[in-house]
């Protein structure tokens, strides 16, 4: 029998540049909760989107990233499969390191409209969401890869 899911819905601002992402994550989370008959754990509180640089967005995302990290760790430790509905790619800064710590052989399938492989040194836009795959791969600063609030 397949493992049960732990449904985790990100609602805190994590470098959101449009207001629709948080609404979309909530709607997807609600639909998954109904489909799977599984209650969702909501992490964070919605706030207005802004266009800002990663060095501002990352510290502001601290509580949400840590909440996502803890929720994913709790799901894995409970023997369930974490299933996330998130608002931005940057939410993975709180989740991918946790999965990697517990499942070193985990495979990630990353499907996105852009590569997310910039670093603080290579980004033109400064967008945190455009750096997360590079951070997970170990490129850029170690602090960015761990979701630390210490920029640079």
């Amino acid at each position: 029998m397949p493992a049960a899911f732990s449904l985790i819905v990100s609602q805190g601002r994590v470098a959101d540049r449009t207001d629709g992402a948080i609404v979309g994550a909530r709607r997807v989370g609600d639909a998954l909760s109904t489909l799977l008959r599984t209650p969702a754990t909501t992490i964070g509180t919605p706030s207005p989107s802004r266009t800002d640089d990663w060095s501002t967005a990352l510290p502001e995302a601290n509580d949400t990233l840590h909440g996502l990290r803890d929720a994913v760790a709790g799901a894995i430790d409970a023997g369930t499969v974490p299933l996330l509905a998130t608002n931005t790619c940057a939410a993975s800064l709180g989740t991918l390191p946790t999965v990697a710590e517990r499942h070193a052989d985990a495979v990630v399938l990353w499907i996105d409209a852009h590569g997310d492989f910039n670093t603080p040194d290579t980004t033109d836009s400064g967008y945190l969401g455009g750096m997360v795959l590079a951070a997970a791969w170990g490129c850029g600063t170690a602090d960015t890869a761990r979701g630390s609030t210490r920029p640079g």
Side-chain angles (χ1 to χ4, degrees):
M1 181 156 94
F5 290 104
S6 289
L7 179 57
I8 303 162
V9 179
S10 179
Q11 287 293 279
R13 183 178 178 276
V14 183
D16 299 83
R17 289 188 168 183
T18 64
D19 290 327
I22 287 180
V23 172
R26 166 54 53 211
R27 289 181 178 163
V28 168
D30 289 346
L32 287 170
S33 180
T34 300
L35 177 69
L36 299 172
R37 296 184 180 116
T38 301
T41 298
T42 301
I43 305 298
T45 303
S47 62
S49 62
R50 270 194 336 265
T51 299
D52 53 12
D53 185 76
W54 74 272
S55 61
T56 300
L58 184 58
E60 290 179 1
N62 186 50
D63 289 344
T64 300
L65 291 174
H66 283 95
L68 290 169
R69 177 199 65 199
D70 294 346
V72 168
I76 293 170
D77 293 347
T80 62
V81 175
L83 177 60
L84 289 96
T86 64
N87 41 320
T88 68
C89 302
S92 64
L93 289 171
T95 60
L96 289 178
T98 303
V99 172
E101 286 172 1
R102 287 169 170 75
H103 297 285
D105 60 344
V107 174
V108 174
L109 174 63
W110 194 272
I111 301 171
D112 202 334
H114 50 88
D116 295 337
F117 215 86
N118 286 303
T119 69
D121 294 329
T122 64
T123 181
D124 289 330
S125 68
Y127 178 50
L128 181 62
M131 299 182 204
V132 294
L133 193 54
W137 193 260
C139 301
T141 67
D143 292 333
T144 305
R146 286 191 302 267
S148 169
T149 58
R150 296 184 319 235

